[in-house]
């Protein structure tokens, strides 16, 4: 489901996860072996992007991404989590911004969204077009005129919302939700979506 957003986000998350578990440098060749869906040159480019983004989020005393031609890449953190950089990566992605807003509000004003995100109408249209290519699998569709609106049966919207946030919430929580029970994680997401457990008509108490 994270791949639904963008391959670049998935790649950044995968690179960070690998580097998080390493206590030494990892060569780009090793990263390419561990991430077979991306090319060597793409991974190298992503590492440089991550280095710049980590500089934006953390001070040098908190975290840094070291890249050397001879040794490779090393992610150094000093008693901090990766939550801030994970949040930064995801929150700077237009697809995610559109989905969060449409899933929470069901509709929003086009021109207000353009002004808030400093994008053109064509950029918004093209992003929605790409999102719709996947939403159609859930019998859902986002329409755009002066309003952006999600169209489909309510239970389909709630199903997609749950699946989407089930996967992306781990990014915000720095992976801490992996240690949660399915029941606790479900309740947290439903609370975020402002959905009453009983509205789903599912035996959540049995999870």
């Amino acid at each position: 489901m994270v791949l639904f957003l963008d391959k670049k986000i998935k790649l950044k998350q995968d690179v960070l996860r690998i580097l998080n578990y390493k206590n030494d440098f990892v060569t780009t060749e090793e990263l390419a072996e561990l991430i077979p869906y991306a090319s060597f040159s793409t991974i190298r480019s992503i590492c440089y992007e991550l280095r710049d983004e980590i500089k934006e989020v953390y001070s040098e005393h908190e975290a840094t991404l070291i890249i050397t031609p001879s040794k490779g890449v090393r992610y150094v953190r000093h008693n901090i989590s990766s939550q801030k950089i994970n949040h930064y990566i995801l929150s700077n992605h237009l697809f995610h911004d559109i989905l969060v807003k449409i899933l929470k509000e069901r509709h929003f004003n086009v021109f207000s969204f353009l002004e808030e995100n400093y994008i053109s109408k064509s950029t918004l249209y093209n992003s929605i077009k790409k999102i719709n290519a996947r939403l159609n699998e859930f019998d859902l569709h986002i329409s755009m005129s002066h309003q952006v609106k999600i169209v489909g049966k309510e239970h389909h919207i709630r199903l997609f919302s749950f699946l989407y946030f089930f996967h992306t919430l781990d990014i915000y929580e720095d992976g801490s939700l992996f240690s949660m029970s399915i029941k606790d994680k479900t309740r947290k997401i439903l609370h975020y979506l402002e959905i009453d457990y009983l509205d789903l008509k599912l035996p959540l108490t049995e999870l």
Side-chain angles (χ1 to χ4, degrees), residues 1 14 30 49 59 67 79 81 93 103 138 143 148-149 173 184 191 194 197 201 204:
M1 186 64 68
D14 286 344
E30 289 174 319
E49 285 187 29
S59 69
I67 302 176
N79 299 318
S81 73
H93 188 60
L103 293 175
F138 294 82
S143 64
V148 174
K149 186 191 317 184
E173 298 288 339
D184 289 340
H191 176 74
E194 298 177 354
Y197 314 131
K201 298 180 179 178
L204 294 180

Side-chain angles (χ1 to χ4, degrees), residues 6-194:
D6 184 81
K7 288 183 178 179
K8 181 179 284 190
I9 283 188
K10 176 174 171 55
L11 181 53
K12 286 181 179 180
Q13 292 298 323
D14 286 344
V15 168
L16 278 177
R17 286 193 183 101
I18 292 169
L19 295 177
N20 257 326
Y21 288 102
K22 299 289 184 177
N23 296 318
D24 204 348
F25 283 93
V26 181
T27 66
T28 312
E29 289 84 358
E30 289 174 319
L31 286 172
E33 290 179 4
L34 294 169
I35 309 172
Y37 64 83
S39 67
F40 172 86
S41 60
T42 300
I43 292 174
R44 183 174 58 185
S45 176
I46 285 294
C47 286
Y48 282 104
E49 285 187 29
L50 279 171
R51 183 187 64 179
D52 293 340
E53 289 170 340
I54 288 170
K55 284 182 180 179
E56 288 283 331
V57 174
Y58 301 111
S59 69
E60 290 184 6
H61 300 292
E62 291 177 320
T64 184
L65 192 70
I66 305 169
I67 302 176
T68 67
S70 57
K71 294 182 179 180
V73 188
R74 184 178 183 182
Y75 182 32
V76 180
R77 293 184 294 127
H78 302 286
N79 299 318
I80 61 164
S81 73
S82 293
Q83 182 176 358
K84 285 172 66 177
I85 185 61
N86 286 331
H87 181 274
Y88 180 88
I89 291 169
L90 191 55
S91 63
N92 279 276
H93 188 60
L94 184 58
F95 281 20
H96 178 72
D97 292 344
I98 294 170
L99 281 169
V100 169
K101 195 166 185 67
I102 201 71
L103 293 175
K104 285 282 286 181
E105 301 178 14
R106 298 295 194 265
H107 61 83
F108 59 83
N109 182 271
V110 167
F111 297 106
S112 296
F113 189 84
L114 298 182
E115 289 182 359
E116 291 169 4
N117 292 275
Y118 305 102
I119 59 172
S120 66
K121 191 173 182 178
S122 61
T123 298
L124 177 59
Y125 174 81
N126 289 331
S127 296
I128 289 175
K129 185 177 179 180
K130 291 177 181 178
I131 292 173
N132 276 332
R134 294 296 303 273
L135 277 182
N136 290 340
E137 298 173 17
F138 294 82
D139 292 325
L140 298 173
H141 181 81
I142 296 176
S143 64
M144 175 177 163
S145 54
H146 65 286
Q147 291 271 325
V148 174
K149 186 191 317 184
I150 187 165
V151 180
K153 294 181 179 179
E154 180 63 22
H155 68 276
H156 288 165
I157 296 173
R158 292 190 177 191
L159 173 61
F160 175 80
S161 298
F162 178 79
L163 292 173
Y164 179 75
F165 286 108
F166 191 89
H167 289 272
T168 57
L169 195 56
D170 276 314
I171 296 175
Y172 278 103
E173 298 288 339
D174 192 29
S176 63
L177 292 185
F178 282 121
S179 61
M180 276 190 180
S181 69
I182 296 296
K183 179 180 178 179
D184 289 340
K185 187 171 178 180
T186 299
R187 290 184 182 278
K188 184 165 188 172
I189 295 167
L190 294 180
H191 176 74
Y192 175 75
L193 294 173
E194 298 177 354

